Amino acid sequence: MRRRGFGGRWVAGAAIWLAAATGAGRAQDHAEHDPADIAYGLDVYRAQCANCHAETGDGVAGVDLRGGQLRRAATDRDLIGVIRNGIPGTGMSAFDLDTADMAAIVAYLRNMTFEIDAVPLGDAARGRTIFEGRGACLDCHRVRDRGPRAGPDLTAIGAARPPSALRRSLLDPTGTMRPIDRPVELVTADGTRVTGRRLNEDTYTVQLIDEQARLRSFDKAGLRGFRVLTASPMPAYGDRLDAGELADLLAYLVSLKG
Amino acid sequence: MRTHETMRRIGLAALLVGTASGAVSAQVPFERLREAAQTPAHWLTYSGSYLSQRYSGLDEVTPANIGDLQLQWVYQTPVVGPWQSTPLVVDGVMYLTQRPNDVVALDARTGRVFWIYRYPTPPDHRACCGSNNRGVAILGDRVFMATLDAHVVALDAATGAERWNVELADKALAYSFTLAPLVVKDQVIVGSAGGDRGIRGFIAALDAATGEETWRFHTIPGPGEPGHETWEACPPNPETYCDPEAWRHGGAAAWLTGSYDPELNLMYWGLGNPGPDFNRAQRPGDNLYSDSVVALDADTGELRWHFQFTPNDPYDYDAVQIPVLADFERNGVTLKAMLWANRNGFYYVLDRTTGRFLTGRPFVAVNWAEGLDDSGRPVETPQPPGAPTYPGVQGGTNWYSPSFSPRTGLFYVPAWEDYASVFDGQPQEYEPGRSFVGGRPRTAAPVPDAPTVPGLTRGPINTWTDAAGSGAVVALDALTGALQWKFEMTDITSSGILTTASDLLFTGTRSGYFQALDARTGDLLWRTSLGGQITNGPMTYEVDGRQYVAVIAGHSLSTFALRD
């Protein structure tokens, strides 16, 4: 399948896409937005916007979404505001999009002239097979009622994180692990060693979910040892899966909306 | 002894009940304000006294007995949002503001409310950054509040009835007031907010009796006035956008309360960023008096001296920190000093008689300047595009009050450490009343897309962690700026600091802890969790011979005293 934006140039096959993902290079015309977000944004656009604005972006008289420069939305924050709040007195109603869909639609609207190759998002069904099989994702993560709770629950990850962020997580888990999710190792006053994933922390206390999925809270002053690790226990999948498999896995993650 | 004290308290409590009406209609002449530091039972100005040290002479609560500190009462506001007010306490009556512009008078012993005044804040005010108000001022039998739509109101301290209400500026142009007014002699002095929305800042004095404006100091000098030349003319063919009228909407807001030296009859006001905040190229020159402290004649508002901390600032390093005044004996000579930990990351000592720079050094990591020259001017080292600048846009510290203890000689700063932003100044044309910041700096994130430290409000989960920046109470030798001790906190802080004559230091955290440190060593002595972020300064007062310590956390004002 080839996804296509409107009226523009051909760029970005799989090789360039992966190069961009690893920071080796970026296509010049869309430096601020990730191809995966733009590609997913096209799906969101078709579902939410095309009914009025048309696939060509000029379906509303006097409004032309092509070109990325929008009269009421000089910045991405402005654009999000217009989408979220609508424009009173016009036909533009308010749209309640989740975080990922909002990021993607903004990426797409800023890049409607950018043609999107097939690669960024693959086949979600195939991705699920990888997720539950060779990828061994269920060894740590949970989706709905399957899998442990050691890693972050992914049931709604496709609503919380845009495709670009999910892809970076697959390729560079340590470099993208959010600090709050870092593993902690501690030793209690009686010498018991506890490991888990950090849930919250302040000056005096730390909260975590331990390897038995118990919610634990500790006073730091009472510990014999306390360490926050910066390396993610998750493997990097760039070496384990080929580009097509990665795209499939990504498509599955994007589909997890809770 | 204990029983005797209790008996005495009961006796005084009975007396207070008997004279309650007298207490409520207390008279606060200027002389009481001038001597506020000598009467620590009361908290008579925003910063505790004209010297703004946030140091109290009360010493009933000590490092030895602080374990007996116990919650006495709680007042909850029904209004959601960061609550930045510091209460006043006068003769057992507490006056505080709550969002947007309510004034509440309550019994400082029980927390029971006497009256509430609700100002009809218009919904179309354009105050930047939330409906904040930081408190009232008092003189005679009146309390004064400055409002979000740029009015000042005088209320009867006994009833809350409005005595006068004057408009000082146009709210449509984003003029607003968020500070507690300063009263000096028979004048009420306020400074405007709106420095991120293209105002031209001012400080104005009103006759406390009538509300009539007596003088106004424009914080950006107009044509023909000294300092106007620091808003330089644009070159004939500028390479980038240059605004020939930059001074007209150049900010320099005065959004926090000034200090006052009665001997010199000088007021000192810290001034905010130039506008637009981040694009220095469109406003060439030093941009006086942005990011400066100005010394004004308290009677006339005439400028006596100024000192600029950050010339032509592209980082939003407002110099609105509270000017802290302290005297030091050196070689038989009294040095009248001004102590200042600036948002730009440097600590300064100035001679407050002349404005002369005496010393300065960083109190947090700084890379936008490599130091200060002999005049106190920064030697700038701008970072390349995309590189992090330390401190970040919220600064090494910000508006929350520091403290100075004359007993320890230490200056205590609520600081943000290991915190940086990537700045990207962008040209922006002025539009009346609209946001005017010229770019959108990005707080340096520890990993891509990770949450960074929240600007004003936070949720209950610390999703940003100390990887994005952390807080500290930094204790500096007041005369040299040398670090004496540091109390490190996992989360960044927006709490002010209070010190007392028993060498206690009280402060809060964004995660909701209210905590007491040993002011000499920084050792933690006591803490409790109040469950909401602390975004103001704790204060202390005495009723019936009993010391109370009050602090606002989240939507509650909690008041503590020793267990009876």
Side-chain angles (χ1 to χ4, degrees), chain B residues 236-277:
Chain B
N237 296 300
E239 291 179 9
T240 177
Y241 173 62
C242 184
D243 181 356
E245 300 290 306
W247 68 275
R248 291 187 188 276
H249 32 257
W255 53 279
L256 275 185
T257 310
S259 305
Y260 173 59
D261 183 330
E263 291 178 10
L264 298 174
N265 197 38
L266 289 180
M267 285 190 310
Y268 306 97
W269 289 80
L271 302 176
N273 60 279
D277 304 36

Short mmCIF file of all heavy atoms in Angstrom, two decimals, chain B residues 236-277:
data_model
loop_
_atom_site.label_atom_id
_atom_site.label_comp_id
_atom_site.label_asym_id
_atom_site.label_seq_id
_atom_site.Cartn_x
_atom_site.Cartn_y
_atom_site.Cartn_z
N PRO B 236 19.73 51.05 9.57
CA PRO B 236 18.98 51.38 8.35
C PRO B 236 18.43 50.14 7.64
O PRO B 236 17.27 50.10 7.25
CB PRO B 236 20.01 52.11 7.49
CG PRO B 236 21.05 52.59 8.44
CD PRO B 236 21.08 51.62 9.58
N ASN B 237 19.24 49.12 7.50
CA ASN B 237 18.78 47.90 6.81
C ASN B 237 19.06 46.69 7.68
O ASN B 237 20.01 45.95 7.43
CB ASN B 237 19.49 47.76 5.46
CG ASN B 237 19.13 48.90 4.53
OD1 ASN B 237 17.96 49.09 4.20
ND2 ASN B 237 20.13 49.68 4.15
N PRO B 238 18.25 46.50 8.69
CA PRO B 238 18.54 45.41 9.62
C PRO B 238 18.46 44.04 8.95
O PRO B 238 17.64 43.82 8.06
CB PRO B 238 17.45 45.56 10.69
CG PRO B 238 16.36 46.32 10.01
CD PRO B 238 17.02 47.20 9.01
N GLU B 239 19.33 43.14 9.40
CA GLU B 239 19.35 41.80 8.83
C GLU B 239 18.13 40.99 9.27
O GLU B 239 17.70 40.07 8.59
CB GLU B 239 20.62 41.06 9.27
CG GLU B 239 21.89 41.63 8.65
CD GLU B 239 23.11 40.89 9.12
OE1 GLU B 239 22.97 39.84 9.78
OE2 GLU B 239 24.22 41.39 8.85
N THR B 240 17.61 41.35 10.43
CA THR B 240 16.43 40.66 10.93
C THR B 240 15.47 41.72 11.45
O THR B 240 15.82 42.89 11.56
CB THR B 240 16.83 39.66 12.04
OG1 THR B 240 15.64 39.05 12.56
CG2 THR B 240 17.56 40.35 13.18
N TYR B 241 14.24 41.29 11.79
CA TYR B 241 13.23 42.26 12.20
C TYR B 241 13.69 43.11 13.37
O TYR B 241 14.17 42.58 14.38
CB TYR B 241 11.95 41.51 12.57
CG TYR B 241 10.88 42.39 13.16
CD1 TYR B 241 10.34 43.44 12.42
CD2 TYR B 241 10.42 42.18 14.46
CE1 TYR B 241 9.37 44.26 12.97
CE2 TYR B 241 9.44 43.00 15.01
CZ TYR B 241 8.93 44.04 14.26
OH TYR B 241 7.97 44.86 14.81
N CYS B 242 13.54 44.40 13.23
CA CYS B 242 13.88 45.33 14.30
C CYS B 242 12.69 46.25 14.50
O CYS B 242 12.09 46.73 13.53
CB CYS B 242 15.13 46.12 13.94
SG CYS B 242 15.68 47.22 15.27
N ASP B 243 12.32 46.47 15.75
CA ASP B 243 11.12 47.22 16.07
C ASP B 243 11.51 48.64 16.49
O ASP B 243 12.04 48.83 17.59
CB ASP B 243 10.38 46.51 17.21
CG ASP B 243 9.09 47.20 17.61
OD1 ASP B 243 8.80 48.28 17.06
OD2 ASP B 243 8.40 46.66 18.48
N PRO B 244 11.27 49.63 15.66
CA PRO B 244 11.68 51.01 16.01
C PRO B 244 10.92 51.58 17.21
O PRO B 244 11.36 52.56 17.81
CB PRO B 244 11.40 51.80 14.73
CG PRO B 244 10.38 50.99 13.99
CD PRO B 244 10.63 49.56 14.35
N GLU B 245 9.82 50.98 17.56
CA GLU B 245 9.02 51.46 18.69
C GLU B 245 9.09 50.49 19.87
O GLU B 245 8.15 50.42 20.67
CB GLU B 245 7.55 51.62 18.25
CG GLU B 245 7.34 52.60 17.13
CD GLU B 245 7.59 54.02 17.61
OE1 GLU B 245 6.97 54.42 18.60
OE2 GLU B 245 8.43 54.72 17.00
N ALA B 246 10.17 49.75 19.96
CA ALA B 246 10.26 48.67 20.95
C ALA B 246 10.00 49.17 22.37
O ALA B 246 9.38 48.46 23.18
CB ALA B 246 11.62 48.00 20.87
N TRP B 247 10.44 50.35 22.69
CA TRP B 247 10.29 50.84 24.07
C TRP B 247 8.84 51.01 24.48
O TRP B 247 8.50 50.92 25.67
CB TRP B 247 11.05 52.17 24.25
CG TRP B 247 10.42 53.31 23.47
CD1 TRP B 247 10.64 53.63 22.17
CD2 TRP B 247 9.45 54.25 23.97
NE1 TRP B 247 9.87 54.70 21.81
CE2 TRP B 247 9.15 55.11 22.89
CE3 TRP B 247 8.84 54.44 25.21
CZ2 TRP B 247 8.23 56.15 23.02
CZ3 TRP B 247 7.92 55.48 25.35
CH2 TRP B 247 7.63 56.33 24.25
N ARG B 248 7.97 51.24 23.52
CA ARG B 248 6.56 51.48 23.86
C ARG B 248 5.88 50.24 24.43
O ARG B 248 4.89 50.34 25.14
CB ARG B 248 5.78 51.93 22.62
CG ARG B 248 6.14 53.29 22.12
CD ARG B 248 5.19 53.69 20.99
NE ARG B 248 5.60 54.92 20.35
CZ ARG B 248 5.31 56.13 20.81
NH1 ARG B 248 4.58 56.25 21.91
NH2 ARG B 248 5.73 57.22 20.19
N HIS B 249 6.39 49.07 24.07
CA HIS B 249 5.78 47.83 24.56
C HIS B 249 6.87 46.88 25.03
O HIS B 249 6.82 45.68 24.77
CB HIS B 249 4.91 47.19 23.48
CG HIS B 249 5.40 47.43 22.08
ND1 HIS B 249 4.84 48.34 21.23
CD2 HIS B 249 6.44 46.90 21.42
CE1 HIS B 249 5.50 48.34 20.08
NE2 HIS B 249 6.47 47.46 20.17
N GLY B 250 7.84 47.45 25.72
CA GLY B 250 9.05 46.70 26.07
C GLY B 250 9.01 46.02 27.43
O GLY B 250 10.04 45.55 27.91
N GLY B 251 7.85 45.97 28.09
CA GLY B 251 7.74 45.17 29.31
C GLY B 251 8.29 45.88 30.54
O GLY B 251 7.85 46.95 30.92
N ALA B 252 9.29 45.25 31.20
CA ALA B 252 9.86 45.76 32.44
C ALA B 252 8.78 45.92 33.50
O ALA B 252 8.64 46.97 34.14
CB ALA B 252 10.64 47.06 32.22
N ALA B 253 7.98 44.90 33.65
CA ALA B 253 6.90 44.92 34.63
C ALA B 253 7.46 44.89 36.05
O ALA B 253 8.57 44.40 36.29
CB ALA B 253 5.97 43.73 34.42
N ALA B 254 6.68 45.42 36.97
CA ALA B 254 7.07 45.42 38.39
C ALA B 254 6.05 44.56 39.13
O ALA B 254 5.16 45.08 39.80
CB ALA B 254 7.09 46.84 38.94
N TRP B 255 6.17 43.25 38.98
CA TRP B 255 5.07 42.37 39.42
C TRP B 255 5.28 41.76 40.78
O TRP B 255 4.55 40.86 41.18
CB TRP B 255 4.73 41.34 38.36
CG TRP B 255 5.81 40.47 37.80
CD1 TRP B 255 6.70 40.81 36.81
CD2 TRP B 255 6.11 39.12 38.15
NE1 TRP B 255 7.54 39.75 36.54
CE2 TRP B 255 7.20 38.70 37.33
CE3 TRP B 255 5.58 38.21 39.06
CZ2 TRP B 255 7.75 37.42 37.41
CZ3 TRP B 255 6.13 36.94 39.13
CH2 TRP B 255 7.20 36.55 38.32
N LEU B 256 6.25 42.24 41.52
CA LEU B 256 6.37 41.84 42.92
C LEU B 256 6.66 43.06 43.78
O LEU B 256 7.21 44.05 43.32
CB LEU B 256 7.48 40.80 43.11
CG LEU B 256 7.11 39.35 42.85
CD1 LEU B 256 8.26 38.46 43.19
CD2 LEU B 256 5.88 38.92 43.64
N THR B 257 6.34 42.92 45.05
CA THR B 257 6.37 44.05 45.97
C THR B 257 7.79 44.53 46.25
O THR B 257 8.70 43.72 46.44
CB THR B 257 5.70 43.63 47.30
OG1 THR B 257 4.44 43.04 47.00
CG2 THR B 257 5.50 44.83 48.21
N GLY B 258 7.97 45.83 46.29
CA GLY B 258 9.27 46.41 46.59
C GLY B 258 9.57 46.46 48.08
O GLY B 258 8.77 46.04 48.92
N SER B 259 10.74 46.98 48.39
CA SER B 259 11.19 47.15 49.78
C SER B 259 11.43 48.63 50.03
O SER B 259 11.39 49.44 49.11
CB SER B 259 12.48 46.35 50.01
OG SER B 259 12.29 44.99 49.66
N TYR B 260 11.72 48.97 51.29
CA TYR B 260 11.82 50.39 51.65
C TYR B 260 12.83 50.58 52.76
O TYR B 260 12.87 49.81 53.72
CB TYR B 260 10.43 50.88 52.11
CG TYR B 260 10.40 52.29 52.66
CD1 TYR B 260 10.82 53.38 51.89
CD2 TYR B 260 9.95 52.54 53.95
CE1 TYR B 260 10.78 54.67 52.40
CE2 TYR B 260 9.89 53.83 54.47
CZ TYR B 260 10.32 54.89 53.69
OH TYR B 260 10.28 56.16 54.19
N ASP B 261 13.67 51.59 52.61
CA ASP B 261 14.61 51.97 53.64
C ASP B 261 14.17 53.31 54.22
O ASP B 261 14.32 54.35 53.56
CB ASP B 261 16.03 52.07 53.05
CG ASP B 261 17.06 52.41 54.14
OD1 ASP B 261 16.70 53.09 55.13
OD2 ASP B 261 18.22 52.00 53.99
N PRO B 262 13.62 53.33 55.44
CA PRO B 262 13.11 54.58 55.99
C PRO B 262 14.21 55.63 56.19
O PRO B 262 13.94 56.83 56.04
CB PRO B 262 12.51 54.16 57.34
CG PRO B 262 12.26 52.69 57.22
CD PRO B 262 13.32 52.18 56.31
N GLU B 263 15.42 55.21 56.52
CA GLU B 263 16.50 56.18 56.73
C GLU B 263 16.85 56.91 55.44
O GLU B 263 17.08 58.12 55.43
CB GLU B 263 17.74 55.48 57.30
CG GLU B 263 17.56 54.97 58.71
CD GLU B 263 18.81 54.25 59.19
OE1 GLU B 263 19.85 54.32 58.51
OE2 GLU B 263 18.72 53.60 60.25
N LEU B 264 16.94 56.18 54.37
CA LEU B 264 17.29 56.79 53.08
C LEU B 264 16.05 57.32 52.37
O LEU B 264 16.17 58.04 51.36
CB LEU B 264 17.98 55.75 52.19
CG LEU B 264 19.31 55.19 52.70
CD1 LEU B 264 19.81 54.07 51.79
CD2 LEU B 264 20.36 56.30 52.80
N ASN B 265 14.88 56.94 52.87
CA ASN B 265 13.61 57.25 52.21
C ASN B 265 13.62 56.80 50.75
O ASN B 265 13.13 57.48 49.86
CB ASN B 265 13.28 58.75 52.30
CG ASN B 265 11.81 59.01 52.00
OD1 ASN B 265 10.94 58.22 52.38
ND2 ASN B 265 11.53 60.10 51.30
N LEU B 266 14.22 55.64 50.54
CA LEU B 266 14.26 55.07 49.19
C LEU B 266 13.45 53.78 49.15
O LEU B 266 13.51 52.97 50.08
CB LEU B 266 15.70 54.76 48.77
CG LEU B 266 16.62 55.94 48.46
CD1 LEU B 266 18.00 55.43 48.05
CD2 LEU B 266 16.03 56.81 47.36
N MET B 267 12.73 53.62 48.07
CA MET B 267 12.05 52.36 47.78
C MET B 267 12.85 51.64 46.71
O MET B 267 13.44 52.27 45.84
CB MET B 267 10.67 52.62 47.20
CG MET B 267 9.64 53.06 48.19
SD MET B 267 8.03 53.01 47.39
CE MET B 267 8.38 53.89 45.90
N TYR B 268 12.81 50.32 46.79
CA TYR B 268 13.54 49.51 45.80
C TYR B 268 12.56 48.55 45.15
O TYR B 268 11.83 47.83 45.85
CB TYR B 268 14.66 48.72 46.48
CG TYR B 268 15.59 49.61 47.28
CD1 TYR B 268 15.42 49.74 48.66
CD2 TYR B 268 16.61 50.33 46.66
CE1 TYR B 268 16.26 50.57 49.39
CE2 TYR B 268 17.45 51.15 47.39
CZ TYR B 268 17.26 51.27 48.76
OH TYR B 268 18.08 52.09 49.49
N TRP B 269 12.57 48.54 43.85
CA TRP B 269 11.66 47.68 43.10
C TRP B 269 12.44 46.87 42.07
O TRP B 269 13.24 47.43 41.31
CB TRP B 269 10.59 48.50 42.38
CG TRP B 269 9.60 49.10 43.32
CD1 TRP B 269 9.75 50.22 44.07
CD2 TRP B 269 8.29 48.59 43.63
NE1 TRP B 269 8.62 50.45 44.83
CE2 TRP B 269 7.71 49.46 44.57
CE3 TRP B 269 7.55 47.49 43.19
CZ2 TRP B 269 6.42 49.26 45.08
CZ3 TRP B 269 6.28 47.29 43.71
CH2 TRP B 269 5.72 48.17 44.65
N GLY B 270 12.18 45.60 42.05
CA GLY B 270 12.76 44.74 41.02
C GLY B 270 11.87 44.75 39.79
O GLY B 270 10.64 44.74 39.91
N LEU B 271 12.47 44.76 38.62
CA LEU B 271 11.72 44.87 37.37
C LEU B 271 11.95 43.66 36.47
O LEU B 271 13.02 43.05 36.49
CB LEU B 271 12.12 46.15 36.63
CG LEU B 271 11.90 47.44 37.43
CD1 LEU B 271 12.40 48.64 36.65
CD2 LEU B 271 10.44 47.60 37.82
N GLY B 272 10.95 43.37 35.68
CA GLY B 272 10.93 42.14 34.90
C GLY B 272 11.58 42.26 33.53
O GLY B 272 12.23 43.26 33.18
N ASN B 273 11.35 41.22 32.74
CA ASN B 273 12.01 41.05 31.46
C ASN B 273 11.61 42.13 30.45
O ASN B 273 10.52 42.69 30.51
CB ASN B 273 11.63 39.69 30.87
CG ASN B 273 10.13 39.57 30.67
OD1 ASN B 273 9.40 39.29 31.61
ND2 ASN B 273 9.64 39.81 29.45
N PRO B 274 12.50 42.38 29.48
CA PRO B 274 12.08 43.19 28.33
C PRO B 274 11.23 42.33 27.40
O PRO B 274 11.30 41.11 27.41
CB PRO B 274 13.41 43.56 27.67
CG PRO B 274 14.34 42.43 28.03
CD PRO B 274 13.89 41.93 29.39
N GLY B 275 10.42 42.99 26.59
CA GLY B 275 9.57 42.26 25.66
C GLY B 275 9.92 42.59 24.21
O GLY B 275 10.29 43.72 23.92
N PRO B 276 9.79 41.64 23.30
CA PRO B 276 9.40 40.26 23.59
C PRO B 276 10.52 39.50 24.30
O PRO B 276 11.70 39.75 24.04
CB PRO B 276 9.14 39.67 22.20
CG PRO B 276 10.00 40.46 21.29
CD PRO B 276 10.05 41.84 21.87
N ASP B 277 10.11 38.59 25.15
CA ASP B 277 11.04 37.97 26.09
C ASP B 277 12.31 37.42 25.44
O ASP B 277 13.40 37.60 25.96
CB ASP B 277 10.36 36.80 26.81
CG ASP B 277 9.09 37.19 27.52
OD1 ASP B 277 8.36 38.06 27.00
OD2 ASP B 277 8.81 36.63 28.59
#
